Amino acid sequence: DQFQYAVSQHWLRIIISNTMDFSLSSSLVGSAVISNNTIRSVATRTFWAQGTGHSNGTTDLSETSRITYYANENIVGMQVLYSNICSAVSPLSTNAISIKASVEYAGVLYPIYFNNVRTRSAAQLENVFSDKVSGLSITKGSTFYIRTYVSVSATQKWPRNFRYMASTEGVAVASDYTDVLTSCPTVSQMFGPTGVFGKKTGLGRTIAINGDSISMGFGVTSNGVGPFVAAFDGTATGTTYGKNVAHMQLGLVGEKASEFNNATNRGLRDFLLNYATHSIYEYGINDVRGGSVTLASMQSTALANWQILVNKKIKVWACTLTPNTTSTDSWATTTNQTYANATGNTVRIQYNNWLRSLPSTLLTGIIETADTCESSRNSGLWKVGYTSDGLHPNAAGFAAYKAVVDPNIFT
């Protein structure tokens, strides 16, 4: 069966295999709101391809990537999602790509099929779910790899949606290594799955991280693994990709809450949110810091965005907003900090106080990120040593964000 999922003028085509679990296919009917919610993201690194990186169309017409994953849950009935999408709404290439893949676990390769066929063509803006991977069962916490061979014709391109993160990862140019345990040694941005899904087990939760560059660890990590992901694995910078908690990293650098409110801007994320149970909502600083947005506007936008999430049966946890300042001594003191925009800071304080009052039943709770980094509540100034640019947490601020997130609250 084939369904189409509309995003403004663009269509995200979602292809459902004839061997797919019924609960997954039924969730895509009509408005694509989950009706039989038994499928979850069950491994690390489920995210959307937001960058504009792509192959060059000349020397890299085919390659195999080997990408590292950790199982967030005991995985049964694994299905892998691929997306031929280069960015939110403006793909740089219009061509189809050819995909062949396998799962590598405990030294054994498990072929991935699409409607019982190994190789599958994915059109521009198309999302393709695989069949269930036969004979595969992975224990929670285990490491596994997905090998993906992608190919195109001359002058055509594919999206590079993964950043290299570990010595076990890489690509092999012009080689199909999905059926052999050959290394993929070249360090490169890679093409790989949008997500790994399966039957929910254990707590059955998947946390969607919805936010701006702060949620993605801008200035601390270069791979989109932000402080919330790090909180999910307990490492300093998320080096095991948040392996203890099933999650999806759906942040976007520079995004405003008002932009997330637009279905076209949400793009592929709107589809992925159907497989989340909770949301960390980290939006707002990009809205207020220009000084032109009122508290009433911030409130109405937040309520509308929370409603979008709640309509998908998602529990929302909103983050208070950290400051935005300038400094004459590189943030070595509070004395030499100045509000980047005084009006914006006033609205930030009002918005944070509003959040702390738990103003709506749409909101399950708040995560008090502002107090972790602000010199004192509502001072509008960063703690000394917690930022290097006045907008984003640095390593110390990142650690403070991470420490305030208790994975046990997401029940």
Side-chain angles (χ1 to χ4, degrees):
D1 294 325
Q2 177 174 314
F3 295 84
Q4 289 185 317
Y5 182 80
V7 180
S8 189
Q9 295 87 2
H10 298 282
W11 287 90
L12 299 183
R13 296 177 59 222
I14 303 164
I15 306 303
I16 303 172
S17 74
N18 58 14
T19 59
M20 179 168 287
D21 188 280
F22 176 76
S23 60
L24 183 53
S25 61
S26 67
S27 71
L28 301 176
V29 177
S31 64
V33 175
I34 293 291
S35 59
N36 184 8
N37 202 354
T38 62
I39 296 296
R40 287 278 174 260
S41 170
V42 291
T44 52
R45 304 176 88 174
T46 293
F47 75 114
W48 71 301
Q50 65 164 288
T52 56
H54 54 85
S55 59
N56 61 28
T58 55
T59 60
D60 54 358
L61 299 178
S62 66
E63 68 182 27
T64 300
S65 65
R66 183 178 186 257
I67 298 174
T68 308
Y69 291 84
Y70 291 90
N72 298 129
E73 301 276 3
N74 293 325
I75 301 178
V76 292
M78 178 192 289
Q79 294 173 258
V80 182
L81 173 66
Y82 285 94
S83 305
N84 184 10
I85 299 173
C86 291
S87 63
V89 294
S90 301
L92 298 180
S93 59
T94 60
N95 56 268
I97 61 176
S98 180
I99 300 167
K100 181 186 174 191
S102 62
V103 179
E104 178 186 340
Y105 177 54
V108 178
L109 290 172
Y110 298 83
I112 293 174
Y113 289 89
F114 306 89
N115 277 333
N116 298 315
V117 177
R118 282 298 304 279
T119 301
R120 176 70 163 78
S121 177
Q124 178 197 29
L125 293 178
E126 187 174 29
N127 296 293
V128 179
F129 270 107
S130 76
D131 305 343
K132 294 178 184 177
V133 180
S134 178
L136 177 64
S137 177
I138 299 179
T139 304
K140 179 178 179 178
S142 298
T143 305
F144 65 97
Y145 308 90
I146 294 184
R147 292 172 174 259
T148 304
Y149 177 67
V150 59
S151 60
V152 294
S153 300
T155 74
Q156 295 182 337
K157 301 175 182 180
W158 68 78
R160 292 191 179 277
N161 57 343
F162 271 87
R163 291 182 176 91
Y164 170 89
M165 285 185 65
S167 60
T168 54
E169 298 184 325
V171 300
V173 178
S175 300
D176 175 5
Y177 288 162
T178 58
D179 295 320
V180 291
L181 292 170
T182 302
S183 65
C184 298
T186 303
V187 176
S188 173
Q189 281 191 300
M190 303 171 282
F191 173 76
T194 299
V196 178
F197 296 81
K199 286 275 192 182
K200 70 177 183 181
T201 61
L203 293 176
R205 63 183 180 179
T206 296
I207 291 86
I209 300 169
N210 302 111
D212 51 39
S213 54
I214 292 175
S215 74
M216 301 186 68
F218 182 88
V220 179
T221 63
S222 60
N223 47 41
V225 175
F228 307 118
V229 174
F232 295 157
D233 67 18
T235 65
T237 56
T239 51
T240 55
Y241 324 118
K243 71 175 184 177
N244 296 324
V245 180
H247 65 277
M248 297 185 282
Q249 173 56 282
L250 305 182
L252 174 59
V253 172
E255 190 168 48
K256 300 177 180 179
S258 57
E259 292 167 338
F260 179 82
N261 189 250
N262 183 290
T264 299
N265 290 336
R266 289 196 304 278
L268 172 60
R269 294 176 294 173
D270 212 35
F271 166 63
L272 291 173
L273 283 167
N274 291 311
Y275 302 98
T277 57
H278 299 74
S279 168
I280 295 177
Y281 179 88
E282 187 275 318
Y283 279 116
I285 192 61
N286 288 326
D287 298 80
V288 303
R289 69 193 189 97
S292 61
V293 176
T294 65
L295 173 63
S297 176
M298 288 289 293
Q299 291 170 328
S300 63
T301 299
L303 289 168
N305 286 344
W306 299 342
Q307 187 68 67
I308 289 167
L309 296 167
V310 169
N311 285 348
K312 295 176 181 290
K313 313 302 182 187
I314 294 172
K315 296 180 180 180
V316 182
W317 289 79
C319 299
T320 52
L321 307 181
T322 44
N324 181 203
T325 66
T326 60
S327 173
T328 58
D329 62 4
S330 299
W331 294 272
T333 65
T334 56
T335 304
N336 289 325
Q337 291 184 48
T338 303
Y339 309 142
N341 186 291
T343 301
N345 184 60
T346 297
V347 175
R348 182 191 69 88
I349 291 171
Q350 293 170 336
Y351 177 75
N352 282 350
N353 289 338
W354 178 70
L355 286 182
R356 290 169 181 137
S357 73
L358 293 179
S360 170
T361 56
L362 297 172
L363 189 61
T364 300
I366 67 164
I367 299 175
E368 188 51 81
T369 43
D371 281 356
T372 67
C373 292
E374 205 165 358
S375 61
S376 62
R377 177 167 287 189
N378 296 336
S379 72
L381 306 175
W382 284 86
K383 289 180 179 178
V384 172
Y386 277 57
T387 184
S388 301
D389 64 6
L391 179 60
H392 303 93
N394 59 15
F398 183 104
Y401 259 74
K402 179 175 77 73
V404 80
V405 179
D406 177 5
N408 294 317
I409 66 176
F410 304 109
T411 58

